[in-house]
């Protein structure tokens, strides 16, 4: 618990510093009635909004990492959920010059909606973060004999050998703004749902492939 508290304090400091600096800048611009203060205001609001979003992400990650709420499994429409998660990332993808594609059959999978959404959001965010210079994101589904496979492939920087060895360990991150909890949370959430996750170098050229295996919803479930 002490380690976790220390980690949370550390994580929160990262977004707080730019927010503080932005406020100082705004204050000075107003005091000096600087020309272009309207533009400064616009830019600062954008920055602060992103930092607040980042803080929210940190709070969510830590909450989820401590177990979050209890999983409630039910039948989930996979296709609609994937559409929703991709749609959430539309603006970010455009900004990053990333094209997103989705392919494959729909299925009803068995799991906790909030937790599965969170896993998918984490994987899509990781993929976008791995493509600072633009690229392609491919999401595909495939029916297996027992379950459904979902793959999320990016054409980004790829996994370093070090990352490959520690991917699912809590707090392992190679990002200045990362919590290192996304994949640890994903692994646990999937295990709770009777699924699996692995990350491997993409076979096609560069990038990374995340492969999930999800259980199918029982036929009689509503
Ligand atoms: P965070 O995103 O906060 O760093 P994660 O648990 O989501 O934490 O990911 C841990 C690490 O795994 C990342 O810091 C990165 O080094 C590596 N990683 C995860 N997904 C990808 C990806 N799609 N491409 C390259 N590296 C990745
Ligand atoms: Mg992540």
């Amino acid at each position: 618990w002490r380690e976790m508290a220390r980690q949370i304090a550390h994580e929160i400091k990262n977004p707080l510093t730019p927010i503080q600096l932005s406020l100082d800048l705004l204050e000075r611009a107003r005091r000096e009635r600087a020309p272009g203060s309207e533009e400064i205001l616009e830019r600062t609001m954008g920055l602060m909004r992103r930092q607040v979003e980042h803080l929210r992400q940190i709070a969510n990650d830590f909450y989820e990492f401590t177990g979050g709420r209890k999983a409630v499994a039910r039948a989930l429409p996979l296709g609609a959920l994937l559409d929703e998660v991709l749609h959430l990332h539309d603006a970010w993808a455009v900004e990053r010059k990333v094209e997103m594609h989705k392919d494959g059959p729909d299925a009803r999978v068995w799991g906790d909606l909030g937790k599965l959404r969170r896993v998918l959001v984490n994987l899509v965010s990781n993929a976008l973060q791995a493509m600072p210079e633009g690229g392609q994101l491919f999401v595909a589904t495939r029916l297996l004999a027992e379950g459904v496979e979902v793959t999320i492939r990016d054409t980004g920087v790829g996994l370093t050998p070090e990352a490959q060895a520690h991917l699912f360990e809590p707090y392992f991150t190679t990002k200045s703004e990362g919590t290192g909890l996304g994949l640890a949370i994903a692994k646990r959430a999937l295990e709770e749902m009777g699924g699996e996750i692995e990350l491997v170098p993409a076979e096609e050229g560069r990038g990374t492939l995340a492969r999930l295996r999800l259980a199918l919803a029982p036929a009689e479930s509503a």
Side-chain angles (χ1 to χ4, degrees):
W1 282 107
R2 184 173 307 166
E3 172 56 24
M4 182 150 219
R6 201 185 61 77
Q7 192 71 26
I8 294 173
H10 173 80
E11 291 299 331
I12 287 175
K13 263 192 247 158
N14 283 332
L16 285 183
T17 307
I19 290 175
Q20 176 74 57
L21 291 174
S22 301
L23 284 173
D24 293 348
L25 179 71
L26 267 188
E27 200 170 40
R28 202 170 63 220
R30 197 179 68 160
R31 185 157 15 88
E32 294 170 0
R33 302 191 190 291
S37 51
E38 195 58 32
E39 192 198 320
I40 295 174
L41 183 62
E42 278 295 320
R43 203 154 18 93
T44 315
M45 285 192 307
L47 185 143
M48 284 173 48
R49 197 167 288 124
R50 281 199 297 281
Q51 298 302 331
V52 167
E53 192 43 52
H54 182 205
L55 280 170
R56 192 192 324 279
Q57 174 79 37
I58 291 168
N60 285 341
D61 275 2
F62 277 95
Y63 176 67
E64 200 59 54
F65 184 62
T66 59
R69 61 182 177 72
K70 201 170 168 324
V72 183
R74 55 185 183 86
L76 307 172
L78 180 62
L81 185 55
L82 290 173
D83 285 337
E84 180 197 327
V85 170
L86 289 180
H87 189 55
L88 264 179
H89 291 82
D90 273 345
W92 193 12
V94 169
E95 188 193 319
R96 293 228 139 183
K97 299 192 171 60
V98 170
E99 281 176 29
M100 303 196 288
H101 315 267
K102 175 171 157 273
D103 193 26
D106 192 11
R108 287 180 350 121
V109 297
W110 191 243
D112 179 289
L113 175 62
K115 290 185 188 237
L116 184 56
R117 186 194 282 123
R118 187 134 191 81
V119 166
L120 296 169
V121 165
N122 273 330
L123 294 174
V124 171
S125 319
N126 279 349
L128 287 173
Q129 284 163 352
M131 298 186 279
E133 249 109 74
Q136 312 272 333
L137 177 77
F138 300 93
V139 176
T141 59
R142 195 160 67 95
L143 298 181
L144 308 174
E146 292 198 17
V148 187
E149 181 185 83
V150 180
T151 53
I152 299 174
R153 178 164 71 86
D154 64 61
T155 57
V157 295
L159 300 167
T160 63
E162 211 221 339
Q164 272 192 72
H166 302 286
L167 282 175
F168 296 102
E169 285 171 23
Y171 310 126
F172 174 79
T173 180
T174 56
K175 301 167 193 169
S176 57
E177 304 217 320
T179 60
L181 291 177
L183 290 177
I185 291 167
K187 191 173 180 68
R188 196 176 47 200
L190 282 166
E191 280 165 5
E192 278 176 13
M193 291 177 227
E196 281 169 0
I197 176 169
E198 63 172 346
L199 260 75
V200 293
E203 277 169 25
E204 309 82 344
R206 59 203 215 103
T208 304
L209 176 92
R211 183 182 288 121
L212 310 184
R213 212 186 38 69
L214 301 169
L216 278 173
E220 69 279 9
S221 62

